[in-house]
Amino acid sequence: MTHIIDNITLGALVIVRDKMMAQQAAGRKVYRLEVGDTNFDVPAHVQQAITAAMQSGKTHYPPSTGLPQLRSAMLKKLREENGLPIKDADHVLVTIGGMHGLYMAFTALLEPGDEVILPDPMWSEIAELIKRPGGVPVPITLRADRGFLYDPADIEAAITPRTKAIYINSPQNPIGVVFTAETQRQIAALAEAHNLWVISDEAYEHVIFDGQKHFSIGSIPAIADRTITAYTFSKTYAMTGLRLGYLTANDDVIIDRCRKLLRLTTNGVPSITQWGGVAALTGPQDAVKAMMTELEARRNLFMDGLQTIKAFDSFKPGGAFYVWSKISEAWPGYDGRRDSWAMTNYLIDKGGIGTSPGVAFGPSGEGYVRFAFTLDRQTLTESIEVMQDLFK
Ligand SMILES: Cc1ncc(COP(=O)(O)O)c(C=O)c1O
């Protein structure tokens, strides 16, 4: 019998990253448009808080569930900003980034054979996290002709007696689509009617454009107690490498299981990172605003550029920092192939341009590639010029 972990894949994106890093090391000019990590620095006051924590000896074991100061700051933010009716700080757990929170959420919730509905395409780690405790991912195709809607009618049709939860991610990776409050209300109504859990991944809650407001599904009273929500400092504060996130749920059994998982996995997040987190949440938010304004400018610049390239038909993202581009039927292909891996290899080999093959995000992603606009405007402009040349 195969071990359960042997059914999990490490992900295609690792292949692209390794290829790009090898080219970079060989001295080639490359454009890392595959990377979901902005080039911004951590806000200055957060850096200072981390340094001060280190220098003042705040380097001993923190509680495995997180520093009380950080958990209260998180609770305040969750209640005031996200509108989540979280009972108290005991129902907020500090995690190693969003990934760790999601790992615990699926592990605490699922038993072998439990089904979880999720969008397809989706950041591929989600399906793997569902499979880890023996769960079964049930993909719902997000269709271009419906504006990549996570369609409540499709979700309802996919519900079976084994369905345990609906996973939602807005703004979404890889498409950058933002699910409206109305769509989320309809999804919440399904969860209520069918007695399902909702796992809401709000990693990109602040990376949202055109004046839209982020909506947290757990703020809907009818499902507030059956929702588990995961957050991260990675995208909002450019703290990807510091690995800080948090998970919240009102359900005592889920929280109790997650406390045990925390104890047995990381036994807590590095103390100095947590002190940085306190400064990030309680300090000024101007740096976040500035980063998001810059990301919107990058989105506009990159979208305008992509529209001049006939090889792609691109979706304008309302949030997150990715552009989802359909490969044109007119593209002749590379090495006798026309799929998303062929385009990815073509862009890397011929242009030094990193991208992610759509199929890496699920079967519905075939025929697409995902570009990240996380680099500075000058580099993005140059990458567009390289592509204009490649596809002229
Ligand atoms: C949809 C989604 N959720 C969660 C995460 C978790 O990120 P991290 O573990 O860096 O907080 C990511 C990272 O790319 C993501 O794209």
Side-chain angles (χ1 to χ4, degrees), residues 97-99 102 122-123 167 169 173 201 203-204 232 234-235 243 322:
M99 172 74 100
L102 291 164
M122 187 58 233
W123 184 52
Y167 164 88
N169 170 229
N173 176 11
D201 174 357
Y204 298 91
T232 175
S234 289
K235 319 291 178 177
R243 312 303 305 131
Y322 309 104

Side-chain angles (χ1 to χ4, degrees), residues 83-328:
L84 301 184
I86 302 303
K87 286 182 199 157
D88 52 36
D90 285 341
H91 293 79
V92 183
L93 303 174
V94 181
T95 60
I96 299 274
M99 172 74 100
H100 182 214
L102 291 164
Y103 171 89
M104 293 202 299
F106 289 117
T107 305
L109 188 64
L110 301 182
E111 292 187 80
D114 284 347
E115 296 174 1
V116 181
I117 293 172
L118 77 166
D120 173 19
M122 187 58 233
W123 184 52
S124 53
E125 278 72 0
I126 299 302
E128 306 304 329
L129 285 168
I130 293 168
K131 288 193 284 183
R132 223 277 331 147
V136 180
V138 177
I140 300 294
T141 298
L142 306 189
R143 289 175 40 181
D145 60 358
R146 291 193 214 151
F148 296 112
L149 169 73
Y150 194 22
D151 198 329
D154 290 348
I155 294 175
E156 186 162 29
I159 294 172
T160 75
R162 289 307 318 246
T163 308
K164 185 81 178 192
I166 302 170
Y167 164 88
I168 180 164
N169 170 229
S170 179
Q172 201 251 9
N173 176 11
I175 297 176
V177 61
V178 174
F179 302 124
T180 62
E182 186 42 37
T183 300
Q184 298 204 42
R185 281 201 184 90
Q186 291 170 15
I187 294 172
L190 288 175
E192 190 189 4
H194 295 270
N195 206 17
L196 304 178
W197 286 85
V198 173
I199 297 186
S200 183
D201 174 357
E202 303 184 14
Y204 298 91
E205 60 175 330
H206 295 109
V207 193
I208 187 160
F209 309 129
D210 308 314
Q212 297 178 93
K213 253 193 82 58
H214 173 68
F215 182 79
S216 298
I217 195 167
S219 66
I220 298 170
I223 59 149
D225 291 347
R226 56 174 68 240
T227 302
I228 308 172
T229 313
Y231 293 93
T232 175
F233 286 63
S234 289
K235 319 291 178 177
T236 302
Y237 297 101
M239 283 169 63
T240 45
L242 295 170
R243 312 303 305 131
L244 184 61
Y246 48 118
L247 171 100
T248 189
N250 265 343
D251 187 87
D252 292 327
V253 174
I254 292 292
I255 287 293
D256 191 52
R257 289 181 190 159
C258 289
R259 284 162 63 97
K260 292 175 187 166
L261 286 169
L262 260 174
R263 175 82 179 141
L264 296 182
T265 52
T266 60
N267 196 18
V269 172
S271 57
I272 59 171
T273 288
Q274 294 197 56
W275 285 109
V278 173
L281 284 183
T282 59
Q285 302 298 307
D286 340 8
V288 178
K289 247 199 204 129
M291 289 192 274
M292 300 314 151
T293 304
E294 172 60 21
L295 281 173
E296 186 159 343
R298 291 179 187 182
R299 185 226 24 200
N300 294 342
L301 176 151
F302 194 61
M303 270 305 293
D304 287 351
L306 276 179
Q307 257 139 21
T308 66
I309 298 166
K310 288 194 289 289
F312 300 115
D313 181 9
S314 302
F315 176 75
K316 188 175 187 181
F321 29 65
Y322 309 104
V323 178
W324 188 241
S325 298
K326 187 165 175 47
I327 303 165
S328 157

Side-chain angles (χ1 to χ4, degrees), residues 333-354:
Y334 183 50
D335 268 351
R337 286 173 53 183
R338 296 197 58 267
D339 58 13
S340 59
W341 265 117
M343 177 57 93
T344 299
N345 287 327
Y346 180 73
L347 286 169
I348 298 176
D349 295 348
K350 301 295 173 189
I353 292 188

